[in-house]
Amino acid sequence: MGESKVILVTGGSGLVGRAFQEVVATEEKRPDETWIFLSSKDGDLCDAEETKAIFDKHKPTHVIHLAALVGGLFKNLKYNLDFWRMNTKINDNVLHSCHLSKVKKCVSCLSTCIFPDKTTYPIDETMVHNGPPHSSNFGYAYSKRMIDVQNNVVPTNVYGKHDNFNLEDSHVLPGLIHKVYLAEKEGKPLVVWGTGSPRRQFIYSKDLARLMIWVMREYNEADPIILSVGEDDELSIKEAAELVVEGMGFTGKLEYDTSKSDGQFKKTASNAKLMKYRPDFKFTDPKIAIKETCQWFLSNYETCRK
Ligand code: NDP
């Protein structure tokens, strides 16, 4: 057993944070690790003093930095400037506090949507700064690029329990789950925004939590690592919608509103580096993970974020 760790998780109440809570309470529980999960109620990480006070109180040895202003395509398009300002403040405060309180390791999240728009595929870890990001999310992307100086992971599209299921501001999968719910209730067709042809790599939040815990414990390179399913496991939005339809047991028709933006056509990332380290890692079958997410949404409809 190594030295005991105090691990502070910022954004511990969000989609990824809640998956961490579930995984460390069960399969990844260790006696030498104390985990502290923060939400915005513990302090505003946009505020330098409040951030410092949190670090002084908990004295973490390790930090998993998840807190961010996060949203799907349509929220990014609407609030590009807010995305830049809020995330830049949060990241600067958290990383500076890590430095001041001599945190041994901080694992923070980039995202595959921050990579250049015009690029060759698959995207890999060396290409973060090789050109402007897609215009739909340049605020978020530029802010995130600025934290590419420490020990970072790069997840693709995350989904799972405790996601934000808001119809306009959410990512594509939780948005679809909510739309299917309403279409079923109202006896109407499911209207998918865009053509359905863009492609995405989706990662279940529990798989991401498992991999980030491994990064915190074992991965010691300063360079980032992409945490993603393989290139062959990329799904079109149409395929993802069909899995949601199946997961929700929806019986109505599916239509596409092609007047709505598709966003970036694809951002296929290579997980070759991850697979070199973790050839044993098995991603949850999306059919099962999407079904679990749909069931969770149905059971928690009244209280979930939407
Ligand atoms: P969520 O939106 O689900 O959660 C965001 C978390 O950040 C919440 O715990 C929220 O607290 C906290 N937070 C937000 N603003 C502040 C603030 N000013 N002060 C303190 N806490 C704050 O995000 P996800 O779990 O989806 O994302 C986690 C990380 O993963 C982020 O860094 C994101 O950029 C990255 N990522 C996410 C992807 C995705 O598809 N979801 C894809 C790639 C990367 P509260 O609950 O109290 O509001």
Side-chain angles (χ1 to χ4, degrees), residues 40-71:
S40 60
K41 293 196 189 78
D42 295 291
D44 180 4
L45 298 173
C46 287
D47 183 293
E49 288 306 312
E50 290 189 29
T51 309
K52 188 174 174 299
I54 290 173
F55 276 72
D56 289 346
K57 178 175 170 195
H58 296 293
K59 302 187 175 41
T61 59
H62 292 66
V63 171
I64 308 268
H65 174 38
L66 302 174
L69 180 61
V70 181

Side-chain angles (χ1 to χ4, degrees), residues 10-17 38-41 43-46 65-70 86 90 109-113 140 144 154-159 162-164 171 208 305:
T10 72
S13 53
L15 162 66
V16 181
L38 299 176
S39 78
S40 60
K41 293 196 189 78
D44 180 4
L45 298 173
C46 287
H65 174 38
L66 302 174
L69 180 61
V70 181
M86 301 271 288
I90 292 176
C109 268
L110 303 175
S111 162
T112 39
C113 40
Y140 179 77
K144 283 268 175 196
V154 188
T156 43
N157 280 55
V158 192
Y159 69 96
H162 302 278
D163 207 339
N164 174 7
H171 285 107
L208 177 60
R305 280 190 286 170

